[in-house]
Amino acid sequence: MHVTALSDGALVRKALDQAAVKLEGTGAVAANTINRRRGIFYGAMKYAVEFNLLTAHPFDRISWKAPKSDGAIDTRTVVGPAAAAMLIDAAGEMAPHLKAFYAVMYYSALRPEEALHLRPENYIRPNDETGWG
């Protein structure tokens, strides 16, 4: 197949749909995987236009949205408890308030903007050193 076949919007749509599928045929879970593959394909098409292999970028003529992510957590990107403790301690050595900030984010599963807006009235402190709050 010659690159000029990508002038057909249906073929481009089919290629984009395939970018959202893993090799074993199941849907790609991570949105960044799909977006990365789409970006690579987009760049290749831009290259083809630059070298006059295509008259126009095929993405300009189609409307395609990536499938919704199922929200699954990629365990390769989540810090484990031992590594988290080391990172939190290292942050504390740089600045004590960073230790508290990162500890709250890790142990409470808060996003940075949520941790920044956390106030004493938003949580209950334990009564003793061994309790949970």
Side-chain angles (χ1 to χ4, degrees), residues 34-55:
I34 298 167
N35 289 333
R36 185 179 64 247
R37 291 175 181 175
R38 182 192 176 282
I40 291 167
F41 188 40
Y42 182 92
M45 298 302 97
K46 190 174 177 182
Y47 187 78
V49 170
E50 182 180 332
F51 282 90
N52 297 318
L53 299 171
L54 292 172
T55 57

Side-chain angles (χ1 to χ4, degrees), residues 102-118:
Y102 287 115
V104 165
M105 284 196 327
Y106 181 76
Y107 293 112
S108 302
L110 296 178
R111 295 182 296 247
E113 62 273 12
E114 294 170 329
L116 281 173
H117 292 91
L118 188 64

Side-chain angles (χ1 to χ4, degrees), residues 80-94:
M86 288 174 40
L87 289 168
I88 290 166
D89 288 339
E93 290 175 12
M94 293 189 315

Side-chain angles (χ1 to χ4, degrees), residues 3-18:
V3 73
T4 56
L6 291 168
S7 295
D8 178 17
L11 183 60
V12 173
R13 181 178 298 281
K14 186 175 180 180
L16 287 169
D17 289 341
Q18 284 302 128

Side-chain angles (χ1 to χ4, degrees), residues 124-133:
I124 299 169
R125 297 183 75 148
N127 291 332
D128 59 19
E129 291 293 320
T130 60
W132 286 84

Side-chain angles (χ1 to χ4, degrees), residues 56-70:
H57 200 294
F59 282 28
D60 295 340
R61 294 190 308 271
I62 64 166
S63 175
W64 182 85
K65 289 193 179 217
K68 294 282 184 191
S69 173
D70 66 358

